[in-house]
Amino acid sequence: MTITSHPVRQGLAAGVTMLAVIMLLVAGTLSILRGIADVTEDELFLIPSEYSYQLDVSAWGWIHLALGVLLVAVAVGMILTASWARIAAYCLAALSIIANFLSLPYCPWWSVIIIGIDLVVIWAISTWNPRPSLSVQVVPVSEMATSS
């Protein structure tokens, strides 16, 4: 049985993964900026009167600030091709989706944009196959000497 890979698909997936890294950096940076704005209690955000997951605006700020720093760290790890970074990116993007969904009433448009970016990140990371091409066969030197 011969297993073949598709180098065009892998090239596209590697490009999409680099897009995911850039989007992860953007999502992390935006989360840091949102966290700073929340912590300083900027007048940018709506404060709902009754909401099940209501927290103080500065509490949401610290959550988004910490999440943003972790997202940027994982993006740097993915750039350096760290093995832990791919799984950490899945987990943090999912946590970012949850945090932005829960803080949706405070800043609806910002939350929706970050949720969309996080979904693209999860999709891009899940489509990339980091294994080398399976169609290339490595022949040991000892077998090459006996075959000629």
Side-chain angles (χ1 to χ4, degrees):
M1 179 170 107
T2 304
I3 300 173
T4 59
S5 68
H6 302 280
V8 173
R9 271 194 226 158
Q10 282 303 304
L12 178 66
V16 169
T17 301
M18 283 300 113
L19 173 70
V21 169
I22 292 168
M23 298 291 273
L24 205 58
L25 279 170
V26 168
T29 304
L30 289 175
S31 291
I32 289 170
L33 293 174
R34 179 178 179 175
I36 291 170
D38 281 350
V39 168
T40 60
E41 296 182 9
D42 195 2
E43 299 296 321
L44 177 69
F45 300 99
L46 302 171
I47 300 175
S49 59
E50 291 184 28
Y51 181 57
S52 299
Y53 305 107
Q54 187 171 2
L55 290 175
D56 182 36
V57 175
S58 64
W60 280 116
W62 286 112
I63 291 169
H64 286 288
L65 187 63
L67 198 55
V69 169
L70 290 173
L71 287 169
V72 169
V74 167
V76 170
M78 286 185 69
I79 290 171
L80 299 175
T81 64
S83 59
W84 55 267
R86 187 174 177 190
I87 294 181
Y90 282 126
C91 297
L92 288 176
L95 282 174
S96 178
I97 289 172
I98 293 168
N100 280 288
F101 177 75
L102 293 177
S103 65
L104 198 60
Y106 293 93
C107 192
W109 286 106
W110 197 322
S111 294
V112 168
I113 289 170
I114 298 298
I115 288 171
I117 290 172
D118 289 334
L119 288 173
V120 169
V121 166
I122 291 172
W123 171 81
I125 294 170
S126 65
T127 59
W128 181 53
N129 184 1
R131 291 181 289 150
S133 174
L134 296 175
S135 62
V136 176
Q137 295 179 356
V138 178
V139 178
V141 176
S142 60
E143 288 183 21
M144 289 178 56
T146 59
S147 65
S148 56

